[in-house]
Amino acid sequence: MTRRTEIKQALAAQGVDSDIVVKGWVRNFRGNNFVLFVALNDGSSLQNLQIVFDREKHNAEELKKITVGCSMSICGKLVQSEGKGQTVEVQAETFEVLGLADADEYPLQPKKHSLEFLREIGHLRFRSNTFGAITRVRHAMIYAIHTFFTERGFYNIHTPIVTGSDCEGAGQMFHVSTLDPKNPPLAEDGKIDYSQDFFGKETNLTVSGQLEVELACMAMSKVYTFGPTFRAENSNTSRHLAEFWMIEPEVAFNDIHDNMDLAEEFLKYLIQYALDHCREDLEFLQERLLQEEKSKPESERSMPLLEKLQFVLASDFERLTYTEAIEILQKSKPAQKGQFKYEVKGFGTDLQSEHERYLVEKHFKKPVILTGYPKEIKAFYMKQNPDGKTVAAMDVLFPQIGEIIGGSEREADYEKLKNRIEEVGIPMKEMWWYLDTRRFGTVPHAGFGLGFERLMLFVTGMTNIRDVIPFPRYPKSAEF
Ligand code: 4AD
Ligand code: MG
């Protein structure tokens, strides 16, 4: 028995007229009284492999089993194709339908389906061209991320998913508990007695691996975590998920400027990697976006995907302070004309994505890194600047996305950090281990978090974050 050849390999075959076994799912078929043409896909490539069945050679009843969506195995000859649209095809000698697909029930027909519809059939959407392309690009990006850090001497740290600290302040958390919700044990004060819970304390799903990855950083110097993070905010937007993946590097001896350099180098590396390794899928996604935006007026259409990626590679990210950005925004046309949904009041205003996108898309026309945010709107662990008002935070802002990265230099001074923790009212008993790093050999250090699905949105040109993760989790949705 010949081994299965992946369709990607079959399509790239140089020598033809060889015996071959291919297996996959039928995407489409057509034919006449003499031949049947089947388009077979096994996920290895965007392209289908054409299988030709000579009706005389095969049992008619068996051929009837072939429908869109069925799975099959074919032994045949890989030959040069005379038809248009492919260079090679397989002349079937024997075949077997492995799994039937009821033609009346199968929801994924060989036609264009809306992304909303594909989301409803999340169990099957991997079989669509769009989702296949996204799946391959997503994998390439995961691989590139680990490669980038490996080549630079970073260690990957698995930070915990269940956490006992609720102090990052990055968002609402999901409770983790094995107590009976109908009848939880109560303490004397009438509150739930979490000392009787599984971990002996209140626990949640993590919003970020940062605090723990900082601990590793204080010995290993260059570390990163890449894991799932959870935020229970009720934000039903095209850029928010309740469960998303985040890449968080943390580097000892780096300051905020090194941090910005690393973020820019990292993003450019990933975009270059996608261009170098995912060409076919990106070209398909570029075409998809063109079709989607056809009905829009020209001025509202986005740049073609590949051009946009090249453009970001070629630009130096604009670096400026939050205070400078506020000035630009206040003087901007949309602010003057009252076109922003959220007013830019001045220093202290938390920037919304409409403001971030204005800076990137209209004002600078390239990615932007903002630093020096007011300490009140940023997390407690960020390094306090000498002005007493701002912290060494940085947000990287991208076209169409807004914030793609958030990070900072960390407060390395024990007293300053302790004071800030008290100011914002975090219970000290939860923070002892984090504070200890500043007691025992503290060093300047910095890090950031890249939202993996935000990166995926940018690289694939997709517009809804629910379409770049296999199984999206968002309010009222956890079906598949
Ligand atoms: O800015 P955030 O909240 O930063 C942190 O969590 C820090 N602990 C990171 C660090 O310094 N190590 O989140 C980082 C990034 C954002 O810039 C955004 O790209 C993404 O995570 N992000 C989300 N992506 C999808 N859905 C959500 N609900 C997201 N919230 C944040
Ligand atoms: Mg942020």
Side-chain angles (χ1 to χ4, degrees), residues 2-7 21-24 42:
T2 328
R3 266 183 62 155
R4 173 173 90 94
T5 301
E6 287 188 10
I7 287 176
V21 175
V22 288
K23 300 183 186 189
D42 65 0

Side-chain angles (χ1 to χ4, degrees), residues 1 42 54 121 156 202 268 358 425 433 439 446 468 473:
M1 174 85 181
D42 65 0
D54 182 344
I121 51 161
N156 183 209
E202 225 180 316
K268 286 180 171 169
Y358 173 84
W433 47 269
R439 286 172 67 211
V468 294
R473 295 287 177 263

Side-chain angles (χ1 to χ4, degrees), residues 354-382:
E354 57 175 345
H355 307 132
E356 297 171 339
R357 291 184 58 176
Y358 173 84
L359 292 169
V360 173
E361 292 165 24
K362 300 278 187 295
H363 191 85
F364 291 109
K365 298 191 166 62
K366 56 176 170 167
V368 168
I369 311 183
L370 292 189
T371 52
Y373 281 79
K375 64 176 180 193
E376 285 76 20
I377 60 172
K378 288 291 182 189
F380 71 93
Y381 51 68
M382 296 190 178

